[in-house]
Amino acid sequence: MRIEQSPEFQIHLQTLRSKEELFLETIYNVGNGHFGVRDSNPLQGNNHDYIGSPGLFINGFFDYEEVAYGEKYRGYPDNNQVINRLFDPRFIRIKVGNEDSLTDHFKVENIDKNLDMQTGLLHELFSVTTPGNRNFNLVVESFASLSKLNVYGVRYSVIPTNFSDEIEVIKVHDYVNQTVHQQDEDVRVSTDLGQMQLDFIPDNGQPSYLVTTFRSQQGAIITYQASENFAPNPPIEYFRDDNHHYGYRSKYYAKPGSAKDFEFLFAIGDIHPLVNANMYSDQYLSSLNNYINDTTFKSELMASAQVWQTFWLHSDVEIDGDPALQLCVRFNLFELNQSAGRDALTSIPAKGLTGNGYGGHFFWDTEIFMLPFFTYTQPEVAKDLLMFRYHTLQIAKEQASDFGLGKGAMYPWRTINGYESSAYWLAGQAQFHINADIAFAVEQYYEITSDDDFIRDYGFEIILETARFWMEYGNYAELDGKRQFVLNRVTGPDEYSALVDNNYYTNVLAQSNLRLAVKYVRKFKGDDGILSRLHVTDDEIDAMEKAANAMYLPYDKEKNVKLQFQNFEQLPKMDISAIDQSMFPLLLHYHPLMLYRHQVNKQADTIMVDFMFPEGNTLDQLKADYEFYEPITTHDSSLSKAIYAIIAARIGKDQQAYNFFSQAVQTDLMDVHHNTKNGIHAGSLGAAWEGIMYGFAGIVNNATSFSLEPHLPSTWNCLKFKVHLYGNEFKFTIYQDSVEVELLSGEGTDITVYSHRKHLTPDNNRETWQY
Ligand code: BGC
């Protein structure tokens, strides 16, 4: 099948710097937020000599592992959650004469791979040689549907090159856990633990499985059909044998150059509690089948490609003058879109759905680094992501109460199902800033979308309950001769420090969280139902306001810098320029405490505040903070460089801004951290988008105004993007010395460029600023 391909949207094997198998498995994943499939050698399946980590990941489908602590204190999480790695749906078995890919070692070479980001189609060509030297080409095309999120399509074409013989193609999936032989000592990589069971749902004319987990008690149904729109002869037939192998097979006589195609559509079910999955499996199966009955690979691919087209129409970022980075930007946006849960019950795992690194957990990465992209370009997806937090709010409240707090919600630092899943609480659960991060994201979503229903029905409650957490966790103390509100014993974003007092970032975010609660209580004052349902009293709100106003923010008056935390200035600096490159990331080579006792940063921490709260900062302050923190930051976290790029752009350090940005934007496609093999760095991809928007376009937004102060890299001729804003959609075209804005839909609003405000309306839908 041929679909018009535009070269700027192709990830072609030849353009990739690394051809390492595991790296390619990640880069050539296909997914849609409900599930993701890593690339693989399609003939190897669960073979024991398979070096690779293929598999299918369903968002939210995980299993528990009991955490083994040396000393387990009260309140430590009992269990770790890890996303399940299911069988590789790309797997196929091929027999050539008496040689069998299952038992004989067929040599499989990657000849070509191309991911067409415009349609989501992965096209691959393998050259396969049997031990008896018979060679055939195997073309594999696959996609994860964006139009029906349960559908995965895979199509094979077998073309003998040097023999005539009988070929048998067999598609059977009779194991559930994909075996992985890769050994990795990196703490950030999780071991597979899903104890899953695969039960065949008997005889309904196609292979159908109920996959269940023992410990997390979840179930999902997976089924697939062979679609035959090309009149194969002899046909591909469904079979089942005594060993409970259900599948499809086709036997035919092949000649050199003759191609035979096999198409399969999988329906990958939603996650259900085990009891329901068992009880209603027939019902779930028949509704799943509706997705793949009476359709073909081609028509599903076309429908999905249509959705991709709409995606690019609204979300593309075009850079004129930097083709290499342009491709990276597109890859990043493509991956973000492939990773975002859209069912309000899941979020975006730190590695997308491309691996089980970080356990498949959701972190602050979603709200702070990825959500803005969705809020500005696909607000409905952003809303679903925030609804995941709303749906787990009760759990967060339960966690606060179990922890010993009287009130409020304590969101987990890392999770799949809403419960805390960090076994190392110092760099995990103690990152209480997650609560304020979520509140911040709720507010940002509201500011940009003006979605009144959301803030009233859901967002406000999140803001209120997280604000309550700060009131419970913090206390007043006498500092610098004043009674100040303090948040002691917390871990900030920088994971090379832990359990500090008054982390600047945390305190600013908590202050904002408290102020938001006060603001919305006042807004909903007349709407008595809401406030009484949530038991809000005047006293409580007064106390929140006072605490916010009295929040202690540590500051070094001599150096004029915001202090990462109280007494940070007393720690010795670690001279990171003197450390050998092989020792990075430091977390893999140093005892954590060695890092905690030094001034050394894994990632942007205080600098995050300068990024997220630009108001009220002088340029001198931004410069001082940047100059102080940049030399002590290792950027060992991939979330860091894009943020440094933003501040560098704002303070006029153009070359540094560009350098940081280009490294951030290349994180996965160029394997900057040498670990893309374990999965994409979804947060970093989102951060790179922020780098463009908040750094080079220089956007600043709040509920009433949207302004830009562009600082384009000197090599860029022009930057184009679209955003949704207060119910409107705008197109921005930024040149080195001017900005053009076009109102595409909606009633219009004010836009400010370098302090010059203009009003766009449907009648006056274009404006230009020269500077
Ligand atoms: C970073 C965290 C981040 C996590 C998941 C860690 O390396 O320090 O800030 O949330 O990775 O991406």
Side-chain angles (χ1 to χ4, degrees):
M1 172 190 328
R2 279 279 129 236
I3 293 179
E4 201 57 46
Q5 288 187 342
S6 156
E8 307 95 68
F9 286 86
Q10 312 304 316
I11 304 295
H12 195 259
L13 188 59
Q14 305 317 326
T15 59
L16 295 177
R17 202 152 59 193
S18 163
K19 307 276 189 291
E20 197 239 328
E21 293 283 344
L22 287 163
F23 166 76
L24 297 180
E25 281 187 5
T26 298
I27 295 296
Y28 288 111
N29 79 87
V30 296
N32 60 15
H34 171 51
F35 67 86
V37 179
R38 275 175 76 84
D39 191 23
S40 64
N41 170 342
L43 287 178
Q44 290 243 305
N46 245 16
N47 288 5
H48 285 289
D49 55 357
Y50 189 176
I51 306 297
S53 56
L56 161 70
F57 298 93
I58 306 181
N59 203 350
F61 196 39
F62 71 96
D63 207 4
Y64 284 123
E65 163 198 49
E66 202 179 319
V67 186
Y69 295 96
E71 295 170 41
K72 180 165 186 266
Y73 291 92
R74 197 191 166 277
Y76 280 22
D78 297 327
N79 295 305
N80 189 15
Q81 304 152 32
V82 178
I83 193 167
N84 294 318
R85 184 191 300 273
L86 282 87
F87 65 81
D88 177 13
R90 297 163 46 84
F91 174 60
I92 188 135
R93 175 179 173 191
I94 298 179
K95 290 187 190 172
V96 178
N98 56 3
E99 298 182 282
D100 185 344
S101 65
L102 197 64
T103 47
D104 302 311
H105 187 78
F106 284 26
K107 189 170 155 226
V108 180
E109 281 172 89
N110 282 322
I111 303 297
D112 203 10
K113 286 181 194 284
N114 187 62
L115 178 63
D116 179 1
M117 298 187 288
Q118 248 171 343
T119 59
L121 178 68
L122 173 63
H123 181 100
E124 298 169 284
L125 170 61
F126 301 91
S127 170
V128 184
T129 313
T130 69
N133 264 330
R134 282 182 286 191
N135 177 273
F136 61 92
N137 287 334
L138 176 65
V139 177
V140 182
E141 290 182 306
S142 56
F143 71 98
S145 173
L146 264 195
S147 79
K148 294 177 187 164
L149 297 182
N150 297 93
V151 174
Y152 171 74
V154 57
R155 181 175 196 271
Y156 308 88
S157 192
V158 182
I159 310 145
T161 66
N162 65 358
F163 68 92
S164 302
D165 206 338
E166 198 169 66
I167 289 188
E168 188 174 1
V169 170
I170 304 166
K171 182 108 176 125
V172 169
H173 295 280
D174 55 0
Y175 59 86
V176 61
N177 284 75
Q178 181 67 42
T179 314
V180 169
H181 299 277
Q182 175 210 359
Q183 294 294 325
D184 208 317
E185 308 242 303
D186 190 328
V187 288
R188 297 164 295 182
V189 180
S190 298
T191 30
D192 291 301
L193 22 114
Q195 283 200 3
M196 290 176 284
Q197 180 169 323
L198 183 87
D199 290 309
F200 293 91
I201 302 176
D203 254 358
N204 62 343
Q206 69 192 60
S208 307
Y209 317 117
L210 170 63
V211 182
T212 50
T213 56
F214 287 109
R215 292 171 298 209
S216 64
Q217 299 274 297
Q218 293 181 320
I221 287 169
I222 301 180
T223 183
Y224 64 98
Q225 291 180 5
S227 81
E228 299 189 42
N229 55 327
F230 38 81
N233 183 21
I236 179 156
E237 56 172 25
Y238 170 66
F239 75 97
R240 88 179 240 252
D241 66 20
D242 296 343
N243 295 324
H244 294 289
H245 291 160
Y246 296 70
Y248 290 97
R249 69 178 162 215
S250 180
K251 211 187 243 186
Y252 62 103
Y253 195 81
K255 294 201 184 104
S258 68
K260 190 158 155 55
D261 302 335
F262 306 89
E263 295 179 359
F264 299 92
L265 285 177
F266 281 74
I268 297 168
D270 300 330
I271 313 300
H272 300 286
L274 184 63
V275 265
N276 292 356
N278 271 317
M279 221 151 38
Y280 304 114
S281 59
D282 288 345
Q283 195 177 314
Y284 292 149
L285 180 61
S286 79
S287 52
L288 262 186
N289 262 327
N290 290 334
Y291 295 129
I292 53 174
N293 279 343
D294 305 322
T295 182
T296 63
F297 179 92
K298 183 172 177 180
S299 43
E300 289 312 310
L301 173 62
M302 290 300 181
S304 176
Q306 200 75 47
V307 185
W308 274 112
Q309 229 160 51
T310 310
F311 167 78
W312 289 115
L313 188 67
H314 298 285
S315 312
D316 195 14
V317 173
E318 292 174 71
I319 301 172
D320 178 2
D322 207 336
L325 294 198
Q326 169 74 79
L327 190 67
C328 293
V329 169
R330 292 217 166 104
F331 176 76
N332 295 356
L333 304 183
F334 179 83
E335 289 298 329
L336 283 173
N337 202 42
Q338 289 210 115
S339 306
R342 289 162 166 81
D343 56 3
L345 301 171
T346 52
S347 181
I348 312 180
K351 299 269 162 197
L353 293 162
T354 66
N356 69 355
Y358 285 122
H361 295 162
F362 316 131
F363 294 73
W364 72 317
D365 303 33
T366 302
E367 281 76 15
I368 300 301
F369 298 94
M370 299 186 258
L371 202 77
F373 165 66
F374 290 103
T375 304
Y376 273 117
T377 60
Q378 296 185 75
E380 62 294 347
V381 177
K383 181 175 172 182
D384 280 340
L385 293 167
L386 288 171
M387 286 306 289
F388 162 73
R389 295 299 189 179
Y390 183 76
H391 287 136
T392 51
L393 180 60
Q394 284 315 314
I395 299 176
K397 286 171 69 175
E398 219 179 272
Q399 295 209 140
S401 148
D402 287 353
F403 186 71
L405 304 180
K407 259 182 167 186
M410 198 165 119
Y411 276 103
W413 170 242
R414 48 193 294 173
T415 190
I416 293 177
N417 66 352
Y419 287 94
E420 184 59 71
S421 188
S422 65
Y424 183 54
W425 62 271
L426 277 174
Q429 196 171 17
Q431 292 200 48
F432 295 120
H433 63 85
I434 180 76
N435 295 293
D437 299 334
I438 294 169
F440 177 91
V442 165
E443 175 67 359
Q444 192 181 45
Y445 168 81
Y446 180 57
E447 282 180 347
I448 296 167
T449 60
S450 317
D451 184 346
D452 289 323
D453 292 348
F454 173 79
I455 198 77
R456 194 190 50 243
D457 297 342
Y458 312 109
F460 167 56
E461 196 171 333
I462 295 179
I463 288 174
L464 178 72
E465 295 296 354
T466 46
R468 284 174 166 163
F469 166 80
W470 298 114
M471 294 307 289
E472 292 286 317
Y473 198 77
N475 58 278
Y476 281 91
E478 197 72 15
L479 274 165
D480 303 333
K482 282 192 283 193
R483 230 168 90 79
Q484 308 212 44
F485 195 75
V486 294
L487 295 167
N488 290 333
R489 311 295 193 260
V490 303
T491 298
D494 167 40
E495 294 188 351
Y496 287 172
S497 317
L499 222 59
V500 301
D501 290 342
N502 294 303
N503 166 254
Y504 197 99
Y505 174 89
T506 306
N507 287 21
V508 169
L509 266 282
Q511 182 181 51
S512 147
N513 193 167
L514 291 165
R515 287 189 173 144
L516 289 174
V518 173
K519 177 174 105 176
Y520 285 111
V521 166
R522 297 206 170 127
K523 179 180 162 97
F524 294 128
K525 199 87 189 163
D527 202 336
D528 235 13
I530 305 183
L531 299 189
S532 55
R533 176 170 64 82
L534 299 173
H535 310 291
V536 183
T537 64
D538 288 345
D539 286 352
E540 181 179 28
I541 290 309
D542 288 348
M544 285 186 180
E545 190 165 37
K546 284 202 186 88
N549 292 339
M551 187 68 74
Y552 173 57
L553 299 175
Y555 192 81
D556 184 330
K557 292 202 181 92
E558 273 168 35
K559 296 197 177 67
N560 283 330
V561 292
K562 297 170 180 165
L563 268 186
Q564 188 171 327
F565 49 83
Q566 201 176 346
N567 298 332
F568 185 71
E569 76 285 7
Q570 294 174 14
L571 302 180
K573 267 194 182 24
M574 187 176 250
D575 182 4
I576 55 177
S577 63
I579 300 175
D580 191 81
Q581 277 308 309
S582 63
M583 297 296 279
F584 293 91
L586 300 182
L587 66 102
L588 297 184
H589 303 278
Y590 285 82
H591 189 292
L593 198 50
M594 195 62 184
L595 302 171
Y596 299 166
R597 55 179 283 273
H598 279 101
Q599 283 186 5
V600 58
N601 279 194
K602 178 179 181 187
Q603 63 203 99
D605 186 315
T606 316
I607 292 296
M608 291 295 299
V609 179
D610 291 345
F611 154 52
M612 291 159 68
F613 293 89
E615 321 79 31
N617 276 305
T618 61
L619 201 58
D620 284 345
Q621 181 65 62
L622 294 185
K623 281 184 183 157
D625 293 341
Y626 182 92
E627 298 295 355
F628 182 80
Y629 288 104
E630 198 275 325
I632 56 169
T633 303
T634 58
H635 306 289
D636 282 349
S637 159
S638 67
L639 297 175
S640 192
K641 282 186 179 154
I643 307 305
Y644 270 87
I646 294 169
I647 305 302
R650 284 189 191 161
I651 62 177
K653 286 189 176 291
D654 298 345
Q655 195 52 47
Q656 287 194 20
Y658 184 75
N659 292 349
F660 276 132
F661 170 73
S662 62
Q663 288 170 47
V665 80
Q666 296 181 65
T667 295
D668 282 326
L669 206 53
M670 296 297 148
D671 202 9
V672 172
H673 293 259
H674 311 292
N675 62 0
T676 293
K677 64 181 181 185
N678 299 326
I680 57 160
H681 300 75
S684 174
L685 309 184
W689 180 88
E690 294 180 328
I692 298 176
M693 305 299 285
Y694 293 92
F696 300 136
I699 65 170
V700 174
N701 66 269
N702 61 39
T704 50
S705 83
F706 184 81
S707 65
L708 291 91
E709 295 202 355
H711 314 266
L712 287 199
S714 58
T715 50
W716 293 12
N717 302 321
C718 154
L719 169 69
K720 288 187 198 165
F721 56 85
K722 291 177 186 158
V723 292
H724 286 269
L725 204 56
Y726 324 131
N728 307 287
E729 192 183 14
F730 289 99
K731 177 176 175 188
F732 287 82
T733 309
I734 304 180
Y735 299 94
Q736 288 290 344
D737 55 3
S738 65
V739 173
E740 287 168 15
V741 182
E742 185 183 348
L743 173 66
L744 301 174
S745 64
E747 293 303 305
T749 189
D750 288 348
I751 301 284
T752 306
V753 178
Y754 278 117
S755 309
H756 292 288
R757 181 190 302 201
K758 299 191 184 186
H759 190 70
L760 285 94
T761 62
D763 293 333
N764 171 41
N765 66 346
R766 279 166 194 265
E767 282 288 0
T768 303
W769 286 254
Q770 299 281 350
Y771 45 87

